[in-house]
Amino acid sequence: MGMTIVEKIFARASGQTQVRAGDLVVVEVDCAVMLDMSFHKHQRREILKLHDPDKVVIAFDHMVPAPDKDSAEGHAYGRGFARRFGIKRLHDVGAEQGISHAIVADRAYALPGTVLVCSDSHTCASGAFNCAARGIGNPDLIAALTTGKTWYRVGETIRYDLHGALRPGVSAKDLFLHLAGTYGHHTNQNVEFGGVGLASLPIDARRTIAAMGAELSAEFATFECDDLLVDYVEARNPAPFTPVAPDPDAVYAERRAIDLAAMTPLVALPDAVIRNSVPVAEVAHERIDQAFIGSCANGTLSDLAEAARVIKGHRVAPGVRLIVTPATQATYTAALKAGYVETLVEAGAVVTSATCGACFGGHMGVVGPGETCITASTRNFKGRMGDPSARIFMASPATVAASAVAGHIVDAGELAAGV
Amino acid sequence: MTGNMLAGRTWTFGDNINTDLMLPGPLLLASEADQRRAVFSANRPGWVDQVQVGDMIVGGLNYGMGSSRPAARSLRNCGIRALIADSINGLFFRNAVNFGLLALECPGVRAAFTEGQTAEITLEDFTVRNRETGAVLKALPVPQMLLDMTLGGGLYPHLEREGLIAPR
């Protein structure tokens, strides 16, 4: 019986010839990613052994630079941990700082055909790299670090066959909002992306879609490998890898054809993304207090380029805060060299250093009581970005940037046309 | 047969109950005691003062979508004996196993219970019974390895016994 991408990766990683939906598999982990949160005094446990320090990556990302003394203490503990076990891939505050999933992308630590774990739900972002990547709990992560293994209940797979290409001004985030709005949650299911339209999606766009797989409530969100991905990985990581393609007779719960050219700018209404998307025009009257662009889903160089393109020649509306957070310091540097940061800052945006900060209501962009925020990040749950009475709309970086200029939600196309 | 029967008063919730409702972001790095007090503070203020040890949660579809944060631990710290939902997010289920919270997927359970009714869970055959109405539903079986981990108090005690982490 044919297997999907993740089923084939699990078969290899569990030493079996066949894996199918419904199985419980115990697999070898190829890469285990720890966060600063792993070392916070209220979360950490003292790890006595590591299975293989060379399979470990540490990325300080949620609380960087340390906004409080407990975070600072956790960072110091983490540095000591890295020294003690000889972990070479430590991404501390500085030039190598970044959101873990984006670091894993920038450095191509997530290799095609491999198994990657991290104690953050958006670990599925690395599915863009043809990698079986999934968020697990902190106890799970410690088990993976110490035993080299983890378990999965293998879910059935929904296959999305892409064709066509996104139109200018329409982004991967709009595609996600379409999927969440049309098909709802994918609880206990994997999603797999491929098809002739894949070639039209840059790696950054695939990263956005894969990261948002968590918001479909999917298990794994995995992309097929193509030449674009092979070139991307080889340019960043000398390690050998073997891409995994689904079998021609792979068993899917359903195949859904998606015409990328039919996508349009959408907005998710506050509190949820599941079946909660509407056309931008439907909420165009909504005034905003804050606009945010960032996170593992929308802090890529493409996202910053799109925000800069939309905002060039405009200014952020009085009374609105536009906060932009590149996903890594390397992305920040690239955006600086490309002139995006200058455009954004001159328009009145605040560009922060790379962190998960505002996306999870942690720091550098927390929203207050009764405020309205439009965000290009991962989640709009009630209370997600700060006070539970705040309303959080979710949209693409272009829509968010345009809304920051208008002071209310607006389609970027309309802003450009001066409507 | 009744040796493995668990019973508890139920609290009912709808579809798509997310982790941030159970463990709000601002409390992400707080103590377990402070996290416990914040459970459902945004959608159901005061619930933590009413819930009693041994109660159960009955949820709808896609229970626990969201973050990898230890929201299951907060439910356990509230005294919740079991979670039964129409479907459960895979990451939340993992954390339920990790922190020793019995979590069962049971299609149709939300519609079968009115808040306050008593649920009876029999683990031998994974059935859920509504004591008041007599309705019996079939839950999806949990693999033995994961059930053992759950009922054994979760993953940390196991890792301690194996000498992989220090006892606390």
Side-chain angles (χ1 to χ4, degrees), chain B residues 106-120:
Chain B
C106 181
V109 72
R110 175 64 191 86
F113 279 86
T114 303
E115 186 157 287
Q117 291 178 331
T118 298
E120 298 174 351

Side-chain angles (χ1 to χ4, degrees), chain A residues 237-257:
Chain A
N237 188 343
F241 60 91
T242 308
V244 171
D247 289 326
D249 59 342
V251 176
Y252 297 105
E254 197 177 331
R255 293 189 84 122
R256 295 170 183 160

Side-chain angles (χ1 to χ4, degrees), chain A residues 235-313:
Chain A
R236 288 165 172 78
N237 188 343
F241 60 91
T242 308
V244 171
D247 289 326
D249 59 342
V251 176
Y252 297 105
E254 197 177 331
R255 293 189 84 122
R256 295 170 183 160
I258 302 292
D259 179 6
L260 296 174
M263 297 300 113
T264 55
L266 298 172
V267 176
L269 303 178
D271 297 350
V273 295
I274 299 294
R275 297 196 187 279
N276 209 22
S277 304
V278 300
V280 176
E282 241 177 74
V283 286
H285 57 283
E286 294 285 355
R287 299 205 66 79
I288 60 167
D289 301 291
Q290 179 166 309
F292 175 62
I293 298 168
S295 83
C296 52
N298 285 117
T300 69
L301 189 63
S302 306
D303 293 316
L304 303 180
E306 187 67 350
R309 179 188 67 79
V310 168
I311 215 160
K312 198 167 183 66

Side-chain angles (χ1 to χ4, degrees), chain B residues 33-92:
Chain B
D34 288 343
Q35 289 178 348
R36 191 198 72 80
R37 281 192 287 275
V39 175
F40 297 133
S41 54
N43 60 325
R44 204 158 170 176
W47 180 82
V48 289
D49 299 321
Q50 301 170 287
V51 66
Q52 290 177 9
V53 173
D55 287 354
M56 295 186 183
I57 287 177
V58 169
L61 293 166
N62 189 26
Y63 190 96
M65 78 170 293
S67 159
S68 68
R69 63 190 62 177
R73 182 178 69 185
S74 289
L75 293 190
R76 218 191 60 178
N77 287 340
C78 286
I80 292 296
R81 173 167 292 162
L83 160 73
I84 319 165
D86 290 333
S87 64
I88 300 175
N89 170 275
L91 180 50
F92 187 83

Side-chain angles (χ1 to χ4, degrees), chain A residues 108-373:
Chain A
Y109 293 150
L111 290 169
T114 64
V115 175
L116 181 146
V117 297
C118 167
S119 56
D120 184 277
S121 55
H122 295 109
T123 301
C124 50
S126 295
F129 294 85
N130 188 241
C131 176
R134 199 212 188 299
I136 59 178
N138 201 45
D140 282 324
L141 179 64
I142 294 176
L145 288 162
T146 54
T147 69
K149 294 185 171 70
T150 195
W151 59 267
Y152 296 111
R153 288 190 305 174
V154 183
E156 59 184 22
T157 298
I158 302 286
R159 166 80 180 194
Y160 285 101
D161 290 301
L162 311 175
H163 62 98
L166 295 170
R167 290 181 296 111
V170 180
S171 80
K173 196 53 165 286
D174 297 307
L175 169 58
F176 159 75
L177 291 167
H178 169 77
L179 297 180
T182 305
Y183 301 108
H185 68 79
H186 293 57
T187 311
N188 293 321
Q189 294 177 321
N190 306 311
V191 291
E192 185 178 292
F193 295 92
V196 294
L198 181 62
S200 74
L201 284 180
I203 299 298
D204 284 354
R206 302 179 196 182
R207 288 169 53 189
T208 299
I209 296 163
M212 297 307 289
E215 307 318 310
L216 297 172
S217 204
E219 290 288 289
F220 292 87
T222 316
F223 279 72
E224 282 202 41
C225 189
D226 61 1
D227 292 346
L228 188 64
L229 178 61
V230 169
D231 291 347
Y232 182 100
V233 172
E234 286 181 346
R236 288 165 172 78
N237 188 343
F241 60 91
T242 308
V244 171
D247 289 326
D249 59 342
V251 176
Y252 297 105
E254 197 177 331
R255 293 189 84 122
R256 295 170 183 160
I258 302 292
D259 179 6
L260 296 174
M263 297 300 113
T264 55
L266 298 172
V267 176
L269 303 178
D271 297 350
V273 295
I274 299 294
R275 297 196 187 279
N276 209 22
S277 304
V278 300
V280 176
E282 241 177 74
V283 286
H285 57 283
E286 294 285 355
R287 299 205 66 79
I288 60 167
D289 301 291
Q290 179 166 309
F292 175 62
I293 298 168
S295 83
C296 52
N298 285 117
T300 69
L301 189 63
S302 306
D303 293 316
L304 303 180
E306 187 67 350
R309 179 188 67 79
V310 168
I311 215 160
K312 198 167 183 66
H314 298 282
R315 283 199 63 78
V316 173
V320 174
R321 314 178 294 269
L322 171 59
I323 296 165
V324 180
T325 301
T328 66
Q329 290 303 97
T331 300
Y332 197 134
T333 305
L336 204 58
K337 288 177 178 163
Y340 307 147
V341 173
E342 186 178 352
T343 299
L344 290 164
V345 171
E346 280 184 353
V350 169
V351 180
T352 78
S353 57
T355 176
C356 308
C359 176
F360 78 104
H363 60 126
M364 290 213 283
V366 177
V367 295
E371 291 194 325
T372 298
C373 176

